[in-house]
Amino acid sequence: MKTPKKILNEPRQATAEMMEGLILANDGRVGRVEGTGALFRTAIPDGKVALLIGGGSGHEPIFGGFVGHNLADGAACGEVFAAPGPDTICEAARAVHRGKGIIFLYCNYAGDNMNFDIAAELLGDEGIETRTIRVRDDVAAAPPERMDDRRGIAGAVLVVKVAGGAATELKDIAEIERIIRKAEANVRSMGVAVSAGSLPETGKPTFELGDDEIEVGMGAHGEAGVKRQKMVSADDITNQMMEPILGDMALAKGDEVVLLINNLGASTMMELLIVNRRVRQILTRDGIAVHRTFIGPWFTSQEMAGFSISLMKLDAELKRYIDLPSSSFGFSSL
Amino acid sequence: MTGDDVKAMMLAVAQAIIDNVDVLSEADRATGDGDHGVGMRRGFEAAQDAIMALQSPTPEQVMKAAGTAIMAKGGGASGAIFGTLFRAGSKVLEGKDRLDAAGFAQFLAVASEAVQKRGGVITGQKTMVDALAPAAVASADGSSLAESMSRAAQAAEAGVEATRHMLATTGKARSLGERSLGHIDPGALSVSIILRTMRDRA
């Protein structure tokens, strides 16, 4: 097995050093509770309902890179591919709390669910109100009747986008929660891996994939997808991903969506644009309009090559928050 | 077993997990993302530091300190689960200056129940519960602490083997379906290492 080349110092310090670099890259707009993975925006207005996101590191720029204007107020970041512990989540929660409660928004994985739940219990004892929304957008993970078995992948970017806007403009936590839940319910994604990423600490790939193989539906940590097959053309891969996504969404002619194509790490923008071309051909065929397109690396998996496609069905309310300008280290839109 | 004996035992348990970091990560690579060992090492290194700092502790204090450190520093599913195991189990040792057979069996029973509740899992789902739950049952039949620990270790080891023939229905391995067959669960292996080390110190 070939050990991948990575630009690191001490591998066990990779997460901590990455976070130090991330804080510096924010030029004062984001701070960190010292010695932890708890990040917070330095300019959170009093009386704001706080939006706290989080999850394992190694997916940069998400989650820490999404702390910013009209996005998240804070992020609880764990080690590579490992959920943050309850202490980190509580530290981040206390740092962003402005007396009006906190919305936890994170991806649906056993580790994240347990640690955020423990943190919610501890914060409840301190009198801090929390609400929990889990992103479950990966259609490859489970059929629609088992939504709670679906993983959260790059569709989370769109949900955070909507959530950040709603939590800035609105004051009522229940109303903000309703809008985020709608965004979450309207988003579907699917990924494909063409080569594996590796863990900085072990130097080993997270899964084995033959040189001429791809895995359609693979998750952001190398979890198994729908099927493993020989490499095919960009159009064929895209067809295979769009069919289950659209089959899960009940879109009608004339509906509008926001489209996000996420680079898992090592694919090129050229490949992603070729994919975009085919996605648009399929959507045009079905009479579905694309309101906005986002293409880039937001929810990566180290040097995994591959991408995911996410679609969110829009209504006037969701469109408003998708269109709201936002800025952060990892994601900005006008 | 006095509090100091429990302290020495738990330091050895932590060391055993740390020494097996590669074995555990390799087991996880087959069905997960290959980080179980490094997550467990983070948690149990923190547990070692926390336990080391205790002066003449009670058995409860040792287990609680271990659980709290694992939960805080381990992260991921394993931090929450193994942290819960020791924290929840420690409560039954409250007020006791010695760990005996009955106390150990109760410790495992309560820990097993708490872990299942926190993780929303039952036996048969190819998780660490498949080693922990049978160990808790087996330990209840011991007439001495050494025998309880020996029975628990044996049951856990059998539990690890049993996971080889189970379909994963929870966690990151869930989507593998039948591809999860033939591989052991890394969390179950961790439970087995913990109980095996306890047995060797009894």
Side-chain angles (χ1 to χ4, degrees), chain A residues 12 79-83 86-87 111 114-115 117-118 121 149 151 199 201 204-206 208 215 221 223-224 228, chain B residues 25-26 29 32-35 38 41-42 45 71-72 74-77 80-81 84 118-119 171-172 174-176 179:
Chain A
R12 292 190 66 183
E79 284 291 333
V80 175
F81 296 174
D87 288 22
M114 286 187 278
N115 284 292
D117 281 353
I118 295 168
E121 289 163 21
D149 284 349
R151 307 176 280 252
L199 294 168
E201 215 170 316
K204 291 187 177 159
T206 57
E208 306 289 346
E215 182 146 341
H221 312 87
E223 300 96 326
R228 188 165 284 211
Chain B
S25 286
E26 206 47 44
R29 248 160 54 81
D33 52 8
D35 67 355
V38 298
R41 177 171 66 186
R42 271 197 308 272
E45 277 178 352
M71 194 177 277
I81 285 296
T84 297
R118 175 58 69 196
K172 281 178 183 159
R174 175 181 58 216
S175 51
L176 277 171
R179 280 196 264 170

Side-chain angles (χ1 to χ4, degrees), chain B residues 3-4 6-7 10 51 54 57-67:
Chain B
D4 276 325
V6 175
K7 176 177 168 180
M10 283 301 294
I51 296 165
L54 300 171
T58 62
E60 180 208 1
Q61 286 168 336
V62 177
M63 297 303 197
K64 192 174 176 191

Side-chain angles (χ1 to χ4, degrees), chain A residues 102 146 152 208 291 312:
Chain A
I102 304 171
R146 290 197 285 120
E208 306 289 346
H291 176 67
M312 182 187 281

Side-chain angles (χ1 to χ4, degrees), chain A residues 278-300:
Chain A
R278 181 61 193 153
V279 170
R280 294 299 290 265
Q281 286 173 352
I282 293 169
L283 292 175
T284 302
R285 175 200 73 195
D286 291 354
I288 294 156
V290 174
H291 176 67
R292 274 188 103 116
T293 306
F294 298 105
I295 304 178
W298 292 295
F299 198 135
T300 64

